Amino acid sequence: GRARPSHSEPRGRDGRGEEEEEEMGGWQQLYPGHIPTSPLQKALLAAGSAVMALYDPYRHDMVAILGETTGCLALPNLRDKMKNHPEGYRILQERPRIRLSTLDMARLQGLPEGSLGREYVRFLEDNKVSPDTRMPPKFVDDEELAYVIQRYREVHDLMHTLLGMPTNMLGEVVVKWFEAIQTGLPMCVLGAAFGPARLSSRKLQVLATELVPWAIRSGLNSSCVLNVYYEQRWEQPVESLRAELGILPPP
């Protein structure tokens, strides 16, 4: 739903409603950091961020903006999938976050080899990445959908872990193919389609003959990856979770 002007809230001491005090240019701010935008503004942001993301795929801020401004159809579909699944519905209700402040890194490092938590920490360490680098949403005009895309961003590194893919360009393209099938987000489709342009001919051959067919089959075969309460699955073996979801063993 699009953010709409609100004038029905109780008036403040200065004659303005409490909600009106949070409005920006006549449009209500729906959550902290939210920037209300018109359809034209979203289209301009989408076009500009797409160009920049294609020019530099590591511009995560541009990739994030592209995902928010083009996800108007995919995000409600993902939310509905979560609402219609017991575990996904609980995630929507409890709104867990995957950040360094919410993770017990020492405990995860002490879990058995092959467990989700241990392999996730190994992935973060090997690729020198942090869950805190995920940008908060700004341009999604629905508070619940904003959480859905935030959740997608925060489980992205877990997708790398489950798929056994590193954070180099080849690994990112493979994950984007899987996520494109899973989420339907135009951002993922764009990354899957144009990401290979930066790969060498040898890597393109491996991608086309082995990795993309496997990623597509896994994406089609797997249940929705947003319906997993990963924070309560840290001790589960990665192979067991792959089998539960329907992700085929990595080639």
Side-chain angles (χ1 to χ4, degrees):
R2 193 173 61 177
R4 299 186 181 279
S6 172
H7 301 287
S8 59
E9 294 296 321
R11 315 302 287 186
R13 285 178 297 178
D14 58 356
R16 293 183 300 171
E18 293 179 5
E19 290 296 324
E20 285 183 86
E21 292 177 358
E22 297 182 0
E23 289 179 8
M24 302 172 62
W27 296 89
Q28 182 181 335
Q29 188 180 32
L30 299 176
Y31 49 86
H34 174 228
I35 301 176
T37 47
S38 68
L40 176 59
Q41 289 171 320
K42 281 185 172 60
L44 293 174
L45 284 167
S49 59
V51 171
M52 289 303 300
L54 289 174
Y55 177 75
D56 183 0
Y58 290 102
R59 282 291 303 271
H60 299 299
D61 54 342
M62 294 294 102
V63 175
I65 292 173
L66 180 62
E68 294 177 30
T69 53
T70 60
C72 56
L73 297 178
L75 289 176
N77 184 49
L78 287 171
R79 178 201 43 205
D80 292 345
K81 286 182 178 180
M82 295 178 74
K83 283 188 171 181
N84 292 323
H85 187 276
E87 202 164 336
Y89 180 76
R90 195 151 57 86
I91 293 169
L92 281 177
Q93 295 299 304
E94 298 178 8
R95 304 282 180 93
R97 297 291 307 275
I98 299 178
R99 302 183 61 80
L100 290 178
S101 60
T102 65
L103 296 174
D104 185 344
M105 299 298 287
R107 172 177 171 267
L108 297 184
Q109 289 173 333
L111 290 175
E113 295 289 325
S115 64
L116 177 64
R118 182 68 190 91
E119 296 308 313
Y120 174 62
V121 171
R122 192 194 310 278
F123 168 83
L124 296 178
E125 293 172 344
D126 289 349
N127 294 278
K128 297 178 174 58
V129 295
S130 166
D132 287 358
T133 59
R134 302 301 170 189
M135 288 181 57
K138 297 179 181 178
F139 301 107
V140 179
D141 292 332
D142 182 288
E143 187 268 342
E144 191 172 45
L145 296 183
Y147 175 76
V148 172
I149 198 165
Q150 182 75 57
R151 184 66 175 176
Y152 156 74
R153 289 172 183 169
E154 292 184 356
V155 304
H156 175 75
D157 289 336
L158 283 159
M159 294 304 97
H160 277 273
T161 304
L162 285 172
L163 297 174
M165 291 293 137
T167 58
N168 59 23
M169 185 55 65
L170 180 62
E172 289 291 353
V173 169
V174 174
V175 173
K176 278 293 178 284
W177 273 99
F178 177 83
E179 291 179 340
I181 300 295
Q182 275 277 307
T183 68
L185 286 166
M187 169 199 67
C188 297
V189 176
L190 191 69
F194 291 97
R198 293 175 175 266
L199 298 175
S200 66
S201 57
R202 182 179 62 84
K203 290 182 178 179
L204 279 174
Q205 183 178 3
V206 174
L207 184 72
T209 59
E210 296 182 36
L211 296 177
V212 167
W214 165 74
I216 292 175
R217 288 197 305 272
S218 291
L220 292 171
N221 190 58
S222 175
S223 56
C224 181
V225 292
L226 292 184
N227 286 334
V228 179
Y229 211 137
Y230 296 97
E231 296 88 335
Q232 299 179 358
R233 305 285 199 109
W234 294 130
E235 297 178 0
Q236 184 173 355
V238 169
E239 291 186 5
S240 169
L241 184 54
R242 281 180 187 150
E244 178 184 332
L245 290 172
I247 298 175
L248 304 175

